[in-house]
Amino acid sequence: MSSRKVGTQRAFDAAAADFTALGRHLWDPIGAATVAAAGIGEGSRVLDACCGTGASAIPAARAVGTGGVVDAIDLSGPMIGELRRISADLPQLRAHEADATAWDTDGYDAVLSALGIFFFPDMTAGTERLISRVRPGGRAVFTIWRGGAMVTAGRHVGRAMAEVTASEPPPEREPGLIDRINQVGTYADWLSGRDLSDVDVVVNELRLTMTPEVAWLVVIGSGFRGIVDDLEPGVLEQVRERYLDSLRAEGVTELDATTLVGSGTVR
């Protein structure tokens, strides 16, 4: 993302506490898989870009120990505030409200970004900037959604919003680079084009059981929050009820939240 307050970032700003609540169901296992692919050890210096509330930054900080450091950066001040609160016992984790595409410090042993690079105004340039922050021989790990992941929740909440407010459904996002590389082969090819060697893409299968609590957290604790964030409380409750009814009517009991964890060695 740019330093400009775009709609998605405003949604994340508002969602910080709910983002944390959704973490144990969704963000934490994705963050853990991202850190595992980096192979970092004690004493390592790590950059975690688009860190949110720390799903990958916190396990990375535990992996590097007190002799290492994790610089965790995100544009969202509320997200960074929440991360500082929940990581107070990890002095090696330094949380910064900052633009990942303008971060100057380099020489890291690894750079991580879990579900962040597709928010950059220029996904390729932003990713290459992050790779340039890593020393030769270090690791770069970027996790993205696999094609089709999370779309069911967005479709149902958009439909519920339109029905309750008698409006048109939210417009579909314009297809971009991420839509062309969200499968194993295309993602591996794209990462190899970023001058990484030993590129590997692992499919991290994840399916969420859509209890009413989890199903609603998926909306208010993620970027989907931007769809409902300006609603009055009474209207928001109607949207919640209609959304859950819609999921039940179509027999949706699970949500595909599968990611692709792509990694490579910096030349």
Side-chain angles (χ1 to χ4, degrees):
M1 288 185 289
S2 69
S3 56
R4 187 167 49 91
K5 287 275 186 177
V6 295
T8 301
Q9 188 195 332
R10 287 196 297 271
F12 283 130
D13 284 352
D18 295 317
F19 195 93
T20 300
L22 181 59
R24 67 186 180 91
H25 304 285
L26 181 61
W27 311 126
D28 291 355
I30 293 172
T34 302
V35 172
I40 55 179
E42 290 201 15
S44 294
R45 296 180 64 242
V46 177
L47 175 64
D48 188 323
C50 311
C51 64
T53 58
S56 50
I58 288 174
R62 291 182 178 134
V64 304
T66 55
V69 66
V70 175
D71 282 317
I73 58 178
D74 200 285
L75 276 175
S76 171
M79 289 282 186
I80 290 298
E82 181 73 1
L83 174 55
R84 287 172 179 158
R85 182 186 70 80
I86 63 180
S87 66
D89 61 337
L90 295 169
Q92 65 270 36
L93 196 164
R94 307 186 302 202
H96 312 265
E97 182 180 349
D99 184 348
T101 64
W103 187 256
D104 286 333
T105 307
D106 60 11
Y108 290 99
D109 298 301
V111 61
L112 315 174
S113 187
L115 305 175
I117 60 174
F118 43 75
F119 288 120
F120 294 151
D122 183 328
M123 181 175 166
T124 298
T127 302
E128 290 176 348
R129 171 72 178 181
L130 291 180
I131 292 170
S132 74
R133 303 299 86 199
V134 183
R135 63 168 177 79
R139 296 287 287 172
V141 183
F142 305 115
T143 298
I144 64 172
W145 296 115
R146 186 176 67 180
M150 301 295 284
V151 296
T152 299
R155 183 173 69 251
H156 282 269
V157 74
R159 181 188 303 166
M161 171 81 168
E163 292 177 359
V164 169
T165 61
S167 61
E168 291 294 319
E172 291 190 10
R173 177 179 57 80
E174 287 291 324
L177 171 61
I178 187 61
D179 303 292
R180 301 194 297 274
I181 64 169
N182 58 13
Q183 300 297 331
V184 171
T186 52
Y187 189 37
D189 289 344
W190 183 78
L191 288 173
S192 296
R194 312 280 70 76
D195 204 28
L196 295 173
S197 63
D198 305 317
V199 168
D200 185 37
V201 175
V202 174
V203 178
N204 183 33
E205 295 277 359
L206 179 62
R207 293 190 174 274
L208 297 186
T209 300
M210 291 287 268
T211 64
E213 176 196 12
V214 171
W216 188 236
L217 275 176
V218 166
V219 174
I220 62 173
S222 76
F224 290 134
R225 187 171 181 132
I227 298 174
V228 301
D229 215 33
D230 294 330
L231 298 179
E232 295 293 329
V235 177
L236 180 64
E237 177 59 21
Q238 292 179 53
V239 170
R240 186 187 72 86
E241 292 176 357
R242 184 68 194 92
Y243 163 71
L244 295 176
D245 287 344
S246 179
L247 292 174
R248 281 191 290 266
E250 289 196 10
V252 177
T253 59
E254 286 188 330
L255 179 66
D256 180 8
T258 299
T259 53
L260 302 177
V261 184
S263 61
T265 301
V266 177
R267 297 182 192 275

